[in-house]
Amino acid sequence: MNHTKFVVSRFENRNGLCSWRVSGFLHGVRLRKNFKTREEAAAEKAALEIKALQSTSGLRSIATALTEERVEVESDYAEMQEFFTVPPPAFDELWDRLRVVETRINAVAK
């Protein structure tokens, strides 16, 4: 069974100290991790939930030094590449897209 719900719970160790545990299932594997603080446990829970969502949706995050605007420009450029394989009647649409991309590149360059 592939559960993606993670729970943060408080428990007492054998030595009497209180700790926080994140537990749940990821890819059918049971996970249990212990933390000294609730904040650390909550951060791990959030990270595990993101991993679970990414695996079910096919999305993934990528660390980059690019600004948000630059990522959009790169995405537009990749989209624009598709038009080069389209027959000539799409030329007007391609020209319009090129103007939009040029405007974004100029805005990012400033």
Side-chain angles (χ1 to χ4, degrees):
M1 198 179 298
N2 191 6
H3 300 285
T4 56
K5 182 178 179 184
F6 298 97
V7 178
V8 175
S9 57
R10 183 178 169 186
F11 73 97
E12 192 172 311
N13 286 317
R14 285 182 263 158
N15 61 6
L17 295 176
C18 289
S19 293
W20 296 89
R21 174 178 287 163
V22 177
S23 57
F25 288 83
L26 182 63
H27 307 299
V29 177
R30 182 175 81 166
L31 295 176
R32 292 191 318 180
K33 295 184 179 182
N34 299 333
F35 298 91
K36 291 181 181 180
T37 66
R38 185 175 187 172
E39 291 78 21
E40 290 174 319
E44 180 66 15
K45 176 185 175 195
L48 289 170
E49 287 174 341
I50 289 171
K51 282 183 185 178
L53 285 171
Q54 289 172 341
S55 67
T56 58
S57 68
L59 298 176
R60 60 190 172 103
S61 61
I62 299 174
T64 179
L66 297 177
T67 63
E68 215 173 303
E69 294 83 14
R70 184 64 187 188
V71 170
E72 288 179 20
V73 169
E74 294 289 340
S75 173
D76 289 342
Y77 180 76
E79 255 182 62
M80 185 184 65
Q81 293 298 314
E82 295 174 15
F83 286 106
F84 289 110
T85 60
V86 177
F91 182 77
D92 291 332
E93 188 178 348
L94 172 62
W95 191 251
D96 293 338
R97 293 289 293 167
L98 283 171
R99 281 190 239 149
V100 169
V101 170
E102 181 183 22
T103 303
R104 286 190 176 178
I105 289 172
N106 291 336
V108 169
K110 290 182 182 179

